[in-house]
Amino acid sequence: MHEYTSTARVWGLTCPGFPEEVSRARRWTRDILRDSPLAEDAELIVSELSANAILHTASGKESGSFHLALAVSSQVIALSVTDDGGTGSAPAIGHQDQEAEHGRGLGMVSVIAHRVLVHDSDGGHTVTAELFTGACRGGHPC
């Protein structure tokens, strides 16, 4: 195989920062991954990350948006949500008690995903969750 050839397939979707766009992001993810055993986990992750972008960043403000990227290879499904920024701090995995109404979404994503990465991206942040296709939750072989 040529060194610049990739077997990964990549999709992207930009959504306006309206709450109803979270369901659109879920449907989009489900449609792409319809034959994958990890589709439900991916759908839940996209739902949480999209909702976080709308609730906690400028993505949810007037004329805000968020961008999804989905990359699929034989080893991994990578789901990324990039927000419009507007917060003084990067998203972080919080350890909230079970009665908390907010702050548990990224923690839940970190339990479902095999790896979660957060990095700065053009004034906002990108959260990427990876699901390894040959492993179950917690990194154990399926």
Side-chain angles (χ1 to χ4, degrees):
M1 177 183 294
H2 190 271
E3 67 181 291
Y4 297 112
T5 303
S6 172
T7 58
R9 297 199 57 197
V10 180
W11 293 263
L13 176 69
T14 299
C15 297
F18 304 126
E20 57 271 18
E21 292 298 309
V22 174
S23 63
R24 178 178 173 211
R26 280 195 311 263
R27 282 191 313 273
W28 178 78
T29 303
R30 184 175 51 240
D31 288 347
I32 292 169
L33 298 174
R34 67 182 157 267
D35 296 327
S36 171
L38 297 171
E40 286 184 21
D41 287 346
E43 189 178 341
L44 180 58
I45 289 168
V46 164
S47 180
E48 286 297 325
L49 297 181
S50 299
N52 283 350
I54 292 170
L55 290 172
H56 302 296
T57 74
S59 293
K61 304 226 183 292
E62 186 175 341
S63 76
S65 63
F66 61 97
H67 182 77
L68 292 98
L70 174 57
V72 178
S73 75
S74 60
Q75 297 86 23
V76 67
I77 295 171
L79 307 138
S80 298
V81 174
T82 302
D83 63 46
D84 282 347
T87 61
S89 61
I93 298 170
H95 300 286
Q96 304 293 333
D97 66 39
Q98 295 198 357
E99 302 301 317
E101 292 185 28
H102 298 287
R104 296 187 337 211
L106 198 51
M108 181 174 62
V109 168
S110 72
V111 169
I112 296 168
H114 298 107
R115 182 166 59 170
V116 177
L117 307 163
V118 179
H119 56 277
D120 293 339
S121 181
D122 295 328
H125 297 94
T126 298
V127 179
T128 301
E130 296 178 347
L131 296 167
F132 303 144
T133 57
C136 292
R137 288 186 184 165
H140 303 292
C142 293

